[in-house]
Amino acid sequence: MNLIAIGGVIGAGLFVGSGVVISNTGPAAIISFAIGGVITLLLMRMLAEMAVARPVVGSFYVYARQALGQRAGFTTGWMYWYFFVIVVAVEAIAGGRIIQLWFPMVPLWTLSLGLMLLLTGTNMISARSFGEFEYWFASIKVVAIIIFLAMGLLWITGLWPKSTPGLGNLISHGGFTPLGWGAVLAAVVPCVAFYTGAEIITIAAAESEEPQTAVKRAMRSIVARVVTFYVGSIFIVVTVQNWDAKSVGVSPYAAVLDVMGIPAVGTIMNFIVLTAVLSCLNSALYTSSRMLFALTKNGDAPKFFTRLSKGGVPRRAILLGTAVGYVSVVCVYLWGNLVFGFLVNSYGAVALFVYLVIAASQVVLRKRLDREDPAALKLKMWLFPWLSYATIALMLAVIVAMAILPDTQSQFLMSGVTLVVILLSFEVRRRFGMHPGSADDVAPLSETREPAH
């Protein structure tokens, strides 16, 4: 469970996308990632409080129903499902492009399809097979980052051969904030997106033997992950290499390894990034299927997807999620980057919308639990309610910034279209479809899960 939590946070965005943030911010990207990490930490603490007090299949989707009503639950569940089925498509295409660097003669669609078939197969077997694959994917990423941090510290302290020790690069190329504090604050928007995935553990907990214990242990280590893996590695990058070097914008980790004289830098980084991509693809297949399964419990999705295999796997839900990915791969083959760009833009802000609902749900449910069952609050949000309100304000600020900033405006608008479509779907379903179930209909984990040992 701890490695699933770590793997959910560490994606290709850290290894590649962080270079764009550094290029647009300068050394102060450290501050941007730290602010994004604090926001994520607060949100995960809020979610952990609910998950420990009321562990249920569907996690924050159910909490949204219980706290804010059926419309909020429906919208949250389907937004999250959509987010991860698009992740399936995007990561399959990204993984195919990396493998194509080694096998240029093989068409992209063939490689992407092969990756999807491989990981669909592992998810179809059992929750344990998902956990095993994610364990190894996460292990590779964690080991790579730990080695990177150790090498960087050796360089900074002068213990690395032919190194240039010190912190001079933090201020010697235009200062610590060469592009201004406005750029630092604007960079918080993509930084928050990079942290998306930590919440997966509250979904995976449904198939663990002790969900409450698993969530509590995993959430306690999120501070170390945020500070050490993200903020720490960005600190190493901007300290070892000039922030404005062209290579940093392309691949920041490769840029640092190149300065250190590590041979075969390109191959090493391509392997690590491919591992991160496969991890995200694996997690996306798992998460989308479990969210769809949870949606069926309240009539928010067709009962057809409720059926489980003998091993407790919702195979029909997995196949629906992968079907969207297969169609996307075919569309990319037919229409190229036009479709890929549409996919990326259409889900860019969706996770932020979900995070805002999580924060609002926690405030409502915490007040309810304080009145009705205070003993269930075994893991509490810090400084409630004021820190919860501050977290909501921070999330609103990030969403407003995304709507205003030119670089993220298209993602906000396309994600807004996604939100509107889901809201309209709820109205159509409410008027013409089956009547939604009660939020209290959701069974506790102990009655519904198939344990993953």
Side-chain angles (χ1 to χ4, degrees), residues 250-433:
V250 176
S251 181
Y253 282 67
V256 171
L257 295 179
D258 188 51
V259 169
M260 293 180 173
I262 304 298
V265 169
T267 301
I268 293 172
M269 284 312 302
N270 284 334
F271 172 75
I272 293 173
V273 173
L274 178 61
T275 301
V277 165
L278 293 177
S279 174
C280 290
L281 176 55
N282 191 42
S283 295
L285 285 168
Y286 174 87
T287 307
S288 62
S289 64
R290 268 53 178 188
M291 183 55 69
L292 180 58
F293 176 75
L295 284 162
T296 65
K297 305 293 285 185
N298 295 296
D300 285 334
K303 293 292 184 182
F304 175 80
F305 299 105
T306 305
R307 190 160 188 177
L308 299 176
S309 68
K310 292 182 179 179
V313 177
R315 290 179 174 174
R316 294 177 179 179
I318 292 174
L319 290 175
L320 178 63
T322 54
V324 175
Y326 294 140
V327 171
S328 299
V329 168
V330 172
C331 289
V332 169
Y333 171 70
L334 295 174
W335 295 293
N337 289 331
L338 180 65
V339 173
F340 189 74
F342 169 78
L343 292 175
V344 171
N345 286 330
S346 68
Y347 85 127
V350 166
L352 300 181
F353 297 155
V354 172
Y355 277 4
L356 182 60
V357 173
I358 290 174
S361 300
Q362 186 269 338
V363 171
V364 175
L365 291 181
R366 171 61 182 273
K367 292 180 178 179
R368 189 178 300 170
L369 285 168
D370 279 336
R371 293 192 309 268
E372 301 173 359
D373 189 12
L377 292 167
K378 298 175 182 178
L379 183 69
K380 295 183 179 181
M381 176 60 180
W382 306 296
L383 300 176
F384 181 83
W386 306 114
L387 201 51
S388 293
Y389 291 143
T391 305
I392 292 173
L394 285 171
M395 281 306 307
L396 286 171
V398 170
I399 292 172
V400 170
M402 192 173 194
I404 295 174
L405 296 173
D407 291 342
T408 55
Q409 201 170 57
S410 61
Q411 292 186 28
F412 176 81
L413 293 174
M414 289 301 300
S415 298
V417 172
T418 302
L419 174 60
V420 170
V421 170
I422 293 174
L423 286 170
L424 290 175
S425 299
F426 174 81
E427 294 302 324
V428 171
R429 168 190 163 283
R430 185 171 64 86
R431 295 187 181 186
F432 305 106

Side-chain angles (χ1 to χ4, degrees), residues 2 64 148 177 201 221 283 296 397 417 438 449:
N2 282 319
F148 179 81
T177 57
I201 62 167
S221 65
S283 295
T296 65
V417 172
S438 168
R449 73 176 186 272

